[in-house]
Amino acid sequence: MINLKTLEVWFITGSQDLYGEETLHQVAEHSKTISAYLNEEDRLPVTVVYKPTVKSTAEVTAVMQEANNATNCIGVMTWMHTFSPAKMWINGLKILNKPLLHFHTQFNRDIPWSTIDMDFMNLNQSAHGDREFGFMMTRMRINRKVVVGHWQDNESLSKIDGWMRAAAGWHDWQGARFVRFGDNMRYVAVTEGDKVEAETKFGYSVNTYGVGDLVAVVNQVSEEQIDELIAIYEDEYTLVDSLQKGGTQHQSLREAARIEIGIETFLVNGNFKGFTTTFEDLHGLVQLPGIAAQRLMTKGYGFAGEGDWKTAALVRAMKVMGSGLKGGTSFMEDYTYHFNPDNRMVLGAHMLEICESISDAKPSCEIHPLGIGGKADPVRLVFNSGPGPAINASVVDMGNRFRLLVNEVMAVTSFNPLPMLPVARVLWKPYPNMHTGCAAWILAGGAHHTCYSQSLSADHLEDFAEMAGIEYLLIGKDTKINQFKNELRWNEIAYK
């Protein structure tokens, strides 16, 4: 599991020297209380660090520069306890290069009706102090998250949690490295994209290594290493008879284990956070990596098939965002439809590589022919995914911008067994309904590869898109196709 508690969000309170030492002392004490409460809340995944009250241009600039340079700081949370003249924030906001959450709160939840006086009013001015600060960020066209509510309210904490998770995913992308073993599937359009622009915009790099580079590492895997991994397979999965020791295809399981160890060794040695493969380029590999991709995703690596680096990077970011939450996250593909008018739904799957984190029971480890790729039958984990709310997300390159498209869905339990389907799978109903949801996805140019998550919501992805400064489109419960078409038209104008 990815430990988000090693990351920090800095709590910065704004005021000014106008009010005197006693007021500033109370401001500091209140700020310490709030930041300590947030830091001790179990539901907030990131460490909250209190910073002294800023009261001048120099102090604001210094703390923002410090935040930029702090390796573990993934963002700042600001609050104006009193009135804080916003011109003093300009230089600091200009240089800040990390996500910002503006917490529009106040120390007291209720107005103290019988005792309120002007001393209380002068101290507790966030109702209009935050508006002064908000104007400046709007004037400077700064993307940020605004959370309104008392600092002990569940709703406020839930929104802060979502923003923290998005900030963690964004932070993880900065300097991240993704490797493509071979190129993308030939003639496929949506898996292409501008890797230079992606590194400029997103902060991660994507480079291709020949499959031979991987094979050289795979061939160095020892029999002892394979034995150790086989023991894990036997403990964690139900192996079909042919894959068990003494079975007719046990050697195929050993080859799958060899490939998994080789890929993980390559990723660790190269400090990569994700990878892609393609069935069209397997020179030197005995079989297409199936169980290897599934298990490495479970460990937190990003993955996508056919060289789809944008989806591999998104899977990694969403794995980070969902760390510690209930439910899983996986590479996914809309594979086939059930158009029965009484129960329309999508069957999601891929050739092999669906992450076991979304499994609803102990997976079965099986071997079946693939039919494409011209290699030996690959080993894979086969399972169903459980019911409940989920999202599908896709990043596409629109030529002049990147677009993040999200569809809210409801996963359902299969009402019929699938004894002949040799892959992991999930059934879902897209919101608002099958016709509108699928049509909107097509109109928006959404990819056939997605990242499917049971642990995250559309709100997480919206915050993430804001941090990245990219276009965000939601297909949800309230989507109407005519309004969605208008949104697409408006965005074309906005991004020109």
Side-chain angles (χ1 to χ4, degrees), residues 354-428:
I354 301 300
C355 179
E356 62 176 301
S357 68
I358 67 170
S359 174
D360 66 351
K362 187 176 183 178
S364 173
C365 185
E366 303 179 10
I367 182 168
H368 300 277
L370 184 60
I372 55 177
K375 290 288 182 176
D377 298 345
V379 176
R380 80 292 302 270
L381 300 176
V382 178
F383 53 83
N384 293 311
S385 185
I391 57 172
N392 266 312
S394 169
V395 172
V396 293
D397 187 340
M398 296 298 294
N400 65 334
R401 66 190 186 276
F402 289 102
R403 168 179 286 168
L404 176 56
L405 179 63
V406 177
N407 187 193
E408 296 176 320
V409 305
M410 179 60 70
V412 297
T413 301
S414 176
F415 56 89
N416 279 318
L418 300 164
M420 301 299 292
L421 186 62
V423 292
R425 58 273 182 155
V426 57
L427 287 163
W428 69 76

Side-chain angles (χ1 to χ4, degrees), residues 453-494:
S453 181
Q454 302 164 325
S455 56
L456 299 177
S457 71
D459 291 340
H460 292 98
L461 275 295
E462 182 176 5
D463 287 345
F464 187 77
E466 285 283 345
M467 294 170 190
I470 62 172
E471 181 186 10
Y472 171 81
L473 289 170
L474 172 65
I475 304 169
K477 297 176 183 177
D478 299 323
T479 296
K480 292 181 170 50
I481 203 69
N482 60 329
Q483 294 175 349
F484 192 77
K485 286 180 178 179
N486 281 335
E487 188 174 353
L488 292 172
R489 296 184 185 105
W490 298 331
N491 287 3
E492 283 301 312
I493 301 300

Side-chain angles (χ1 to χ4, degrees), residues 60-73:
V60 171
T61 303
V63 74
M64 295 303 189
Q65 186 64 65
E66 185 185 359
N68 286 342
N69 295 333
T71 304
N72 290 341
C73 177

Side-chain angles (χ1 to χ4, degrees), residues 88-108:
M88 78 182 203
W89 287 86
I90 293 174
N91 288 342
L93 292 173
K94 280 170 59 177
I95 65 171
L96 180 66
N97 59 20
K98 296 189 175 179
L100 189 152
L101 182 145
H102 182 192
F103 195 9
H104 187 38
T105 189
Q106 65 183 25
F107 186 73
N108 58 296

